[in-house]
């Protein structure tokens, strides 16, 4: 007979004292009077200075996790969230904190990572560079159709009347692949995105079109992608779960007629069991299969499968920081008789490589994803850049000593790896190549700190700039400049 799990206690009048790396707030609590020292309790959606009642959800030896059951005294920092779905959809977990406070905590994440993980000598870390837009900053949003609308316990207990259809077009509930929260308004993208999404939802319901059943894998309407570029160009891509040409043409024509400002109207017929369209044919129903972003006169073509930083205006600020750290700023950078050779590792679609190419003798970009490299080459051609070379493949297999011997030893390396950071073999080749300057762009300060520790014997950190790409979340981008030691 299985043992019954012991009910975890509810604790009262607990003071929230700070914010942790993953965006949860923290309190320090003695669970029993006999405890020698308090343990850390992680609490989502709390603010430093709150006095709260909490219910423990998980208890480990050195920490616990809990949720708020009542806010006894709200923190003076606490503000009303902008979004009605705050706390339910799982995104924007810091809406209840003033933006200025969010920037402080993001900088502290970088400080903690470099001090506690890297344990290396670092200069004073700059204040977090704020996003140009606090709201409506995302150029890309992805939504899921579902024939079963997820309803919270608060909804169910409220006694409110709901329509019988139960259809939803919105976001997955965190940790639940089959639960979709219907969204009427999302503050992260231009309101045009809401207009398009709500029109598609209403039109499909009025015309009896089936929404996808995620568990049983059937239904017509599956996913929706909306891109609104900083240039004003708009992409809509609808993914369908069955090849019903009549229904597809009907809804695509309705969207085209209602929103003539859509510049790229696309669709995908995806009969697989997963939602990814990376291996699917994208069909251009109206307009070209791409839209364009623009920076300093450079144009970057973005298609339905392309990666592009989702905060267009802040991507420009991020790349300017990387360019300045590399000493390639066209206004303040040093004049050179011979321009430098630049390697751009994890180049993606070549945005940074093409962005700095006019200040370099040559830029060599390396990226694992072949489709991204095809985009990088295309963007170089579109902008008339003839001093870029791009290679696709595993970084540790391509970036070898013989590759560097063949292409030249770089003066500058810019690296922008995925969240997992760099492979140790890649770090060894970088150190053997011995560029004078490395600019390390990271979306994960913890793995960045680990890699910096591995390079510390050869490179000294000279500048650190956190950049906020995602207001109201705990995520922070960080740019570090390293110089070769004497």
């Amino acid at each position: 007979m299985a043992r019954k799990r012991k009910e975890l206690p509810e604790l009262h009048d607990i003071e929230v004292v700070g914010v942790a790396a993953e965006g949860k707030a923290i309190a320090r609590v003695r669970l029993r009077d006999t405890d020698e020292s308090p343990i850390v309790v992680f609490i989502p959606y709390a603010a430093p200075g709150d006095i709260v009642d909490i219910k423990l959800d998980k208890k480990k030896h050195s920490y616990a996790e809990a949720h708020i059951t009542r806010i006894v005294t709200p923190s003076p920092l606490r503000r009303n969230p902008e979004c009605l779905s705050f706390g339910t959809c799982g995104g924007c977990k810091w809406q209840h904190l003033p933006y200025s406070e969010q920037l402080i905590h993001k900088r502290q994440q970088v400080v903690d990572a470099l001090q506690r993980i890297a344990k290396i000598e670092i200069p004073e870390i700059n204040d977090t560079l704020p996003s140009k837009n606090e709201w409506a900053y995302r150029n890309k949003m992805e939504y899921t159709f579902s024939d079963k609308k997820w309803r919270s316990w608060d909804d169910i207990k409220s006694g409110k009347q709901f329509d019988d259809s139960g259809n939803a077009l919105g976001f997955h509930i965190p940790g639940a692949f089959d639960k979709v929260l219907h969204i009427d308004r999302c503050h992260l993208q231009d309101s045009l995105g809401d207009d398009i999404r709500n029109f598609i939802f209403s039109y499909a319901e009025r015309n009896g079109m089936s929404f996808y059943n995620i568990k049983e894998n059937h239904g017509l309407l599956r996913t929706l992608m909306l891109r609104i570029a900083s240039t004003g160009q708009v992409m809509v891509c609808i993914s369908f779960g069955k090849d019903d040409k009549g229904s597809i043409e009907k809804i695509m024509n309705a969207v085209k007629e209602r929103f003539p400002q859509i510049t790229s109207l696309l669709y995908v017929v995806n009969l697989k069991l997963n939602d990814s369209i990376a291996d699917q044919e994208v069909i251009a129903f109206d307009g070209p299969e791409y839209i364009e972003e623009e920076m300093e006169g450079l144009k970057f073509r973005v298609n339905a499968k392309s990666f592009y930083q989702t905060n267009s205006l802040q991507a420009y600020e991020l790349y300017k920081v990387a360019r300045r750290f590399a000493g390639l700023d066209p206004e303040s950078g040093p004049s050179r008789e011979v321009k430098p050779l630049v390697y751009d590792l994890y180049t993606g679609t070549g945005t940074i490589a093409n962005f700095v190419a006019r200040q370099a003798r040559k830029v060599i970009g390396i990226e694992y994803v072949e489709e991204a490299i095809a985009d990088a080459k295309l963007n170089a051609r579109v902008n008339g850049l003839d001093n870029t070379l791009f290679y696709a493949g595993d970084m540790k297999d391509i970036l070898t000593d013989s590759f560097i011997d063949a292409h030249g030893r770089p003066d500058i390396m810019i690296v922008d790896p995925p969240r997992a950071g760099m492979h140790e073999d890649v770090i060894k080749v970088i150190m053997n190549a011995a560029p004078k300057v490395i600019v390390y762009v990271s979306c994960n300060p913890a793995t960045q700190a680990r890699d910096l520790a591995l390079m510390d014997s050869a490179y000294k950190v000279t500048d650190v700039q956190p950049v906020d790409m995602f207001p109201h979340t705990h995520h922070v981008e960080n740019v570090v400049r390293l110089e070769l030691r004497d």
Side-chain angles (χ1 to χ4, degrees):
M1 182 176 174
R3 294 177 59 187
K4 186 177 180 181
R5 293 183 64 182
K6 185 178 179 180
E7 181 75 11
L8 294 172
E10 183 167 338
L11 307 176
H12 300 281
D13 298 325
I14 303 301
E15 182 181 4
V16 178
V17 296
V19 173
E22 292 302 315
K24 296 177 181 178
I26 56 174
R28 292 184 173 85
V29 179
R30 280 187 171 85
L31 298 181
R32 295 178 296 271
D33 293 338
T34 55
D35 290 346
E36 291 184 7
S37 59
I39 66 167
V40 172
V41 181
F42 296 98
I43 312 166
Y45 306 113
D50 279 343
I51 305 297
V52 294
D53 294 342
I54 59 174
K55 176 73 167 61
L56 295 188
D57 300 315
K58 183 188 293 185
K59 167 69 172 67
K60 298 293 185 181
H61 177 70
S62 59
Y63 74 93
E65 296 181 13
H67 67 273
I68 297 173
T69 57
R70 183 170 72 104
I71 298 176
V72 180
T73 306
S75 165
L77 293 175
R78 182 178 280 276
R79 68 175 184 180
N80 291 327
E82 195 79 16
C83 180
L84 294 176
S85 300
F86 174 72
T88 305
C89 91
C92 305
K93 293 180 179 178
W94 279 3
Q95 280 189 56
H96 61 301
L97 295 176
Y99 187 49
S100 58
E101 193 73 13
Q102 296 176 30
L103 297 173
I104 292 171
H105 292 304
K106 294 188 182 200
R107 177 185 181 275
Q108 191 59 45
Q109 282 187 45
V110 174
V111 172
D112 291 343
L114 296 186
Q115 290 182 345
R116 298 176 184 177
I117 300 174
K119 298 178 181 177
I120 59 176
E121 180 185 356
I122 56 172
E124 180 68 18
I125 294 174
N126 294 303
D127 292 338
T128 307
L129 189 66
S131 175
K132 289 292 184 181
N133 290 335
E134 184 181 338
W135 298 103
Y137 60 82
R138 288 187 66 100
N139 57 45
K140 178 185 178 184
M141 297 295 291
E142 295 178 278
Y143 301 97
T144 299
F145 293 90
S146 173
D147 67 351
K148 187 175 182 181
K149 183 187 296 184
W150 186 86
R151 296 182 180 122
S152 69
W153 281 110
D154 288 339
D155 278 344
I156 294 169
K157 290 185 293 185
S158 70
K160 291 188 293 187
Q161 294 297 312
F162 297 97
D163 59 72
D164 295 330
S165 70
N167 288 329
L169 176 54
F171 300 124
H172 289 270
I173 297 298
F177 81 97
D178 61 333
K179 295 180 173 61
V180 175
L181 176 70
H182 182 71
I183 298 293
D184 291 314
R185 173 80 174 97
C186 180
H187 298 270
L188 295 184
Q189 195 176 48
D190 185 280
S191 60
L192 175 62
D194 290 325
D195 295 340
I196 296 171
R197 186 191 62 252
N198 291 334
F199 172 81
I200 292 172
F201 175 81
S202 298
Y203 182 89
E205 285 213 313
R206 287 197 312 272
N207 289 272
M209 295 180 173
S210 60
F211 286 47
Y212 204 70
N213 184 298
I214 300 169
K215 279 190 172 181
E216 299 175 10
N217 295 292
H218 61 77
L220 177 67
L221 291 154
R222 189 161 184 172
T223 61
L224 170 66
M225 178 199 298
L226 300 174
R227 288 187 187 264
I228 303 176
S230 58
T231 57
Q233 297 179 19
V234 180
M235 174 185 289
V236 174
C237 182
I238 304 176
S239 178
F240 296 96
K242 58 182 179 180
D243 194 6
D244 181 347
K245 289 183 171 56
S247 295
I248 290 172
E249 188 167 334
K250 186 176 181 181
I251 193 168
M252 298 299 285
N253 274 321
V255 174
K256 174 184 174 182
E257 182 178 346
R258 173 64 181 80
F259 298 98
Q261 62 268 57
I262 294 174
T263 48
S264 176
L265 182 56
L266 316 171
Y267 74 90
V268 173
V269 176
N270 179 11
L271 306 181
K272 301 186 289 106
L273 295 182
N274 64 69
D275 288 336
S276 170
I277 65 169
D279 56 350
Q280 301 293 291
E281 180 187 6
V282 178
I283 300 167
F285 184 84
D286 187 62
E289 60 185 19
Y290 62 86
I291 56 176
E292 289 184 328
E293 293 280 358
E294 187 272 334
M295 290 183 193
E296 293 185 356
L298 295 171
K299 295 186 183 298
F300 298 95
R301 289 188 179 181
V302 181
N303 61 48
K305 300 179 184 180
S306 295
F307 170 79
Y308 191 86
Q309 288 282 1
T310 51
N311 186 337
S312 299
L313 297 182
Q314 197 66 354
Y316 179 43
E317 301 303 317
L318 176 72
Y319 297 156
K320 284 196 294 185
V321 171
R323 184 173 64 183
R324 174 165 55 84
F325 278 14
L328 298 171
D329 194 305
E331 296 181 1
S332 60
S335 59
R336 292 182 173 92
E337 292 183 5
V338 179
K339 290 183 175 181
L341 172 62
V342 178
Y343 279 28
D344 181 28
L345 310 189
Y346 311 93
T347 190
T349 55
T351 315
I352 293 180
N354 289 318
F355 186 66
V356 303
R358 290 181 291 196
Q359 287 77 48
R361 179 170 83 254
K362 182 187 293 185
V363 182
I364 297 174
I366 306 173
E367 165 62 41
Y368 179 76
V369 181
E370 289 187 11
E371 291 84 358
I373 287 297
D375 286 341
K377 293 177 178 178
L378 174 63
N379 285 323
R381 289 198 302 273
V382 167
N383 290 290
L385 300 171
D386 59 3
N387 62 334
T388 58
L389 291 173
F390 294 101
Y391 295 89
D394 192 301
M395 191 68 60
K396 68 181 188 307
D397 296 332
I398 289 186
L399 187 67
T400 61
D401 291 332
S402 59
F403 180 92
I404 290 173
D405 289 342
H407 291 86
R409 293 194 170 269
D411 302 296
I412 298 161
M413 266 194 184
I414 301 172
V415 300
D416 187 2
R419 291 189 64 80
M422 295 192 289
H423 193 283
E424 283 191 37
D425 290 348
V426 176
I427 292 176
K428 289 176 184 176
V429 176
I430 290 174
M431 293 174 69
N432 287 340
K436 297 181 180 67
V437 173
I438 298 173
V439 178
Y440 190 151
V441 182
S442 173
C443 60
N444 187 344
T447 54
Q448 183 186 47
R450 177 204 66 201
D451 294 345
L452 293 178
L454 294 174
M455 293 189 285
D456 188 54
S457 61
Y459 285 90
K460 177 182 179 181
V461 174
T462 61
D463 216 337
V464 182
Q465 179 62 67
V467 180
D468 184 23
M469 303 290 290
F470 304 103
H472 316 300
T473 77
H474 66 275
H475 298 291
V476 60
E477 205 92 3
N478 192 45
V479 189
V480 172
R481 183 181 188 273
L482 302 101
E483 282 186 8
L484 187 65
R485 296 185 186 275
D486 293 336

